[in-house]
């Protein structure tokens, strides 16, 4: 399950390095998967990484990961999964006025280490990367990332299903022309949601992940009938 996170400016060679890593780290004993940026942006990228981290394979994130907050999210995902990780910074790139801002990794930040930096055509430090991924113990999960034991085996399934249904209802209402200030209704739920502005699927997915993380900390079967209402209340407080 080791995770390799690439970061760098556009044109710095991240995709080429991801292909090199995939060839070097995969083999008969394990597969190496490359997860690249796609439609859906940051939320979709993290969701795919989290899905892959449930398997005993290497996951390579081929994306700009230009912000500290993005790299921190991936660090938390690896820590929650209990797997080792490292960060590969592809330095350089042509740069330009229209490219997104890039927050360079800093090894003093725990989410930016172990940090390896490559310039231009220099070879990858494969021995050091292998040591970081396969020979070091992953950090133990801390309170913020530790998944608490569920009181019901069906609780997590219901939590996932209900929150997905809420998101689907919100997106359907927006597609059908709901205007700011209108009440968005979820089938079977008395409480509605008033949106003061359009909300993207990426933002809703991020809020859904946060709500699930918070709810799993205090699971209770008594909350099952109120999950949809609780999520709607959370969205109402979070979307300003």
């Amino acid at each position: 399950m080791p995770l390799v996170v690439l970061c760098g400016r556009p044109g710095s060679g991240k995709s080429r390095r991801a292909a090199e890593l995939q060839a070097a780290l995969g083999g008969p004993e394990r597969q190496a998967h490359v997860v690249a940026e796609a439609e859906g942006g940051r939320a979709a990228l993290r969701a795919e990484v989290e899905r892959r981290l449930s398997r005993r394979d290497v996951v390579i994130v081929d994306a700009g990961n230009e912000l500290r907050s993005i790299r921190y999210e991936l660090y938390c995902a690896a820590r929650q999964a209990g797997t080792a990780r490292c960060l590969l910074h592809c330095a350089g790139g042509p740069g330009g006025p229209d490219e997104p801002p890039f927050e360079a990794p800093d090894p003093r930040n725990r989410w930016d280490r172990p940090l390896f930096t490559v310039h231009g055509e220099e070879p990858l430090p494969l021995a050091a990367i292998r040591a970081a991924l396969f020979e070091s113990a992953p950090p133990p999960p801390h309170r913020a990332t530790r998944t608490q034991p569920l009181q019901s085996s069906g609780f997590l399934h219901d939590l996932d299903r209900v929150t997905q249904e809420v998101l689907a209802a919100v997106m359907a209402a927006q597609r059908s022309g709901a205007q700011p200030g209108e009440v968005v209704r979820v089938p079977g739920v008395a409480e509605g949601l008033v949106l003061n502005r359009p909300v993207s699927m990426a933002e809703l997915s991020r809020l859904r992940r946060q709500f699930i993380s918070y709810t799993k900390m205090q699971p209770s079967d008594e909350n099952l009938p109120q999950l949809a209402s609780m999520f709607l209340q959370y969205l109402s407080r979070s979307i300003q």
Side-chain angles (χ1 to χ4, degrees):
M1 296 189 297
L3 177 67
V4 184
V5 177
L6 278 70
C7 71
R9 299 180 185 276
S12 59
K14 295 184 297 296
S15 294
R16 174 171 58 86
R17 296 299 192 176
E20 291 180 34
L21 287 168
Q22 185 177 31
L25 301 178
E29 69 280 7
R30 71 178 70 88
Q31 293 184 3
H33 302 280
V34 174
V35 177
E37 286 181 301
E39 185 177 354
R42 178 173 175 173
L45 179 73
R46 175 168 175 173
E48 179 64 10
V49 169
E50 290 175 339
R51 186 179 75 84
R52 293 289 188 179
L53 281 175
S54 65
R55 304 177 60 184
R56 294 180 58 85
D57 296 328
V58 179
V59 179
I60 302 163
V61 184
D62 176 16
N65 297 314
E66 63 278 353
L67 301 179
R68 288 189 296 267
S69 58
I70 300 175
R71 299 194 296 268
Y72 179 73
E73 287 181 0
L74 295 173
Y75 161 83
C76 289
R79 192 160 184 176
Q80 183 170 343
T83 186
R85 62 174 294 282
C86 71
L87 180 68
L88 178 66
H89 176 204
C90 298
D98 297 327
E99 73 176 29
F102 180 72
E103 298 175 347
D106 185 341
R108 292 174 296 181
N109 299 326
R110 63 187 183 278
W111 56 88
D112 282 339
R113 63 176 188 260
L115 172 63
F116 305 100
T117 301
V118 291
H119 299 79
E121 300 298 322
E122 69 177 296
L124 290 172
L126 290 174
I129 291 175
R130 288 192 181 98
L133 297 178
F134 306 125
E135 300 174 16
S136 62
H142 53 67
R143 186 171 185 176
T145 60
R146 185 182 299 116
T147 300
Q148 301 297 318
L150 298 177
Q151 296 178 357
S152 167
S153 60
F155 184 91
L156 186 57
H157 172 77
D158 289 335
L159 179 62
D160 181 79
R161 175 183 55 80
V162 168
T163 53
Q164 287 279 23
E165 290 173 352
V166 171
L167 259 61
V170 173
M171 292 304 298
Q174 292 188 114
R175 286 193 298 268
S176 65
Q179 299 298 312
E182 291 186 21
V183 179
V184 175
R185 296 292 180 184
V186 177
V189 183
E191 188 167 349
L193 172 66
V194 178
L195 294 177
N196 296 320
R197 60 174 175 82
V199 187
S200 69
M201 188 62 186
E203 182 177 359
L204 288 171
S205 296
R206 176 178 59 81
L207 293 172
R208 174 177 174 269
R209 290 196 305 272
Q210 292 176 352
F211 177 78
I212 288 175
S213 296
Y214 299 149
T215 307
K216 287 193 298 185
M217 298 295 289
Q218 298 292 334
S220 173
D221 289 343
E222 296 178 357
N223 291 334
L224 287 176
Q226 289 82 40
L227 281 178
S229 294
M230 291 166 59
F231 186 36
L232 286 169
Q233 292 170 14
Y234 181 81
L235 292 176
S236 179
R237 294 192 302 269
S238 303
I239 300 172
Q240 302 297 330

